[in-house]
Amino acid sequence: MIQTPSRLLRRLAPALVLALGLAASGMALAAVVTGPVQYRWHDTHGNLHFSDTLSADAIARGYDIVNAQGVVVQHVPSPAERRAEEAAARAQAKLEAARARQQAVDAQLLTAYPTEADLRKSLEAQVSNVTQAMRATEINLQSQESSLADMLQRAAEIEHEKKPVPLYLTHDIAQQRAVVEQQRLAWQRQQQQRDAARAAIAPQLARYRQIKQQQQAQANAQMP
């Protein structure tokens, strides 16, 4: 069967890539290694192999390049090792980015609140603001509940007279129930916000003290 040039090139592509890779490795080692080199690797059973030529198993599992004295001059990782190294590099990059963001937040915290008393006052003010909003919502909720109770009373009186409840009143009652439910949910959300703000005071103050101590330690270390 006669193979076209494009099909032949596709079949030879893996070998060409491997040859180019080995050539690049050889060029990188030329200034380090003198004399003959050997390749060593472990097979699936853990047995150690040495050879002056590379096998497919060595390439798949990763191998070491050793010089004439038996010293390892380079480790060529396997595809799995490369993937693991890349994953570790990405994880380290994320960790460093998170650390940088935390440092920026800490610096902003110290700039905004020169003293712990300033921070405490701000945190307590947040709790107070949410508490005031809760009171306003509670007053509105009571008013809406009172309006709903009046509507229900009128509907009950009509039914007591053996008359049908007007459609407009039924519609108004349904709308008023929805308003009351919305106000209740709003009050519950505000309560959660207030509780969260209260619970955050102690941890944030502790974090602030820790940052201050670290800042002072750095300043002391820089003193002559």
Side-chain angles (χ1 to χ4, degrees):
M1 177 180 180
I2 300 176
Q3 296 184 359
T4 64
S6 60
R7 180 177 298 176
L8 181 60
L9 181 59
R10 286 196 298 271
R11 293 188 60 184
L12 293 177
L16 291 174
V17 172
L18 174 60
L20 291 174
L22 294 177
S25 298
M27 293 174 61
L29 291 171
V32 179
V33 181
T34 58
V37 299
Q38 278 193 320
Y39 308 101
R40 74 175 190 182
W41 69 95
H42 291 83
D43 60 23
T44 55
H45 302 290
N47 299 319
L48 184 61
H49 296 268
F50 287 87
S51 177
D52 56 359
T53 59
L54 280 174
S55 67
D57 185 51
I59 296 173
R61 298 182 61 79
Y63 57 91
D64 295 325
I65 300 176
V66 297
N67 60 18
Q69 291 73 38
V71 178
V72 176
V73 295
Q74 183 181 354
H75 174 70
V76 179
S78 67
E81 289 175 327
R82 284 194 295 270
R83 289 192 294 271
E85 291 172 356
E86 292 169 357
R90 289 193 296 270
Q92 182 63 27
K94 289 182 180 180
L95 182 63
E96 293 176 355
R99 185 181 296 112
R101 289 193 296 270
Q102 186 61 56
Q103 290 176 348
V105 171
D106 293 344
Q108 184 178 6
L109 184 65
L110 294 178
T111 301
Y113 305 103
T115 67
E116 183 178 336
D118 295 327
L119 177 58
R120 180 184 294 275
K121 182 178 180 180
S122 175
L123 295 174
E124 291 176 349
Q126 293 178 18
V127 175
S128 177
N129 291 338
V130 178
T131 301
Q132 292 178 7
M134 286 180 61
R135 290 172 181 168
T137 302
E138 188 173 2
I139 292 173
N140 188 25
L141 175 59
Q142 291 174 352
S143 176
Q144 298 298 338
E145 287 176 336
S146 178
S147 297
L148 177 59
D150 291 341
M151 294 179 185
L152 293 173
Q153 179 64 30
R154 290 203 302 272
E157 292 174 353
I158 294 173
E159 289 178 339
H160 183 71
E161 296 174 357
K162 307 298 183 181
K163 296 180 181 179
V165 177
L167 290 178
Y168 77 88
L169 183 54
T170 301
H171 179 266
D172 289 347
I173 289 174
Q175 283 191 325
Q176 192 62 23
R177 288 185 188 275
V179 171
V180 169
E181 183 62 21
Q182 289 174 357
Q183 289 299 306
R184 287 175 179 168
L185 293 175
W187 186 87
Q188 291 174 358
R189 287 193 298 269
Q190 291 169 341
Q191 185 182 39
Q192 293 172 353
Q193 293 172 359
R194 183 199 61 188
D195 295 343
R198 282 178 176 172
I201 291 178
Q204 291 196 48
L205 291 177
R207 176 61 181 167
Y208 182 88
R209 287 191 291 270
Q210 182 182 14
I211 298 171
K212 276 288 191 180
Q213 291 172 358
Q214 293 174 351
Q215 184 186 55
Q216 186 62 45
Q218 292 175 357
N220 294 338
Q222 295 174 357
M223 292 179 61

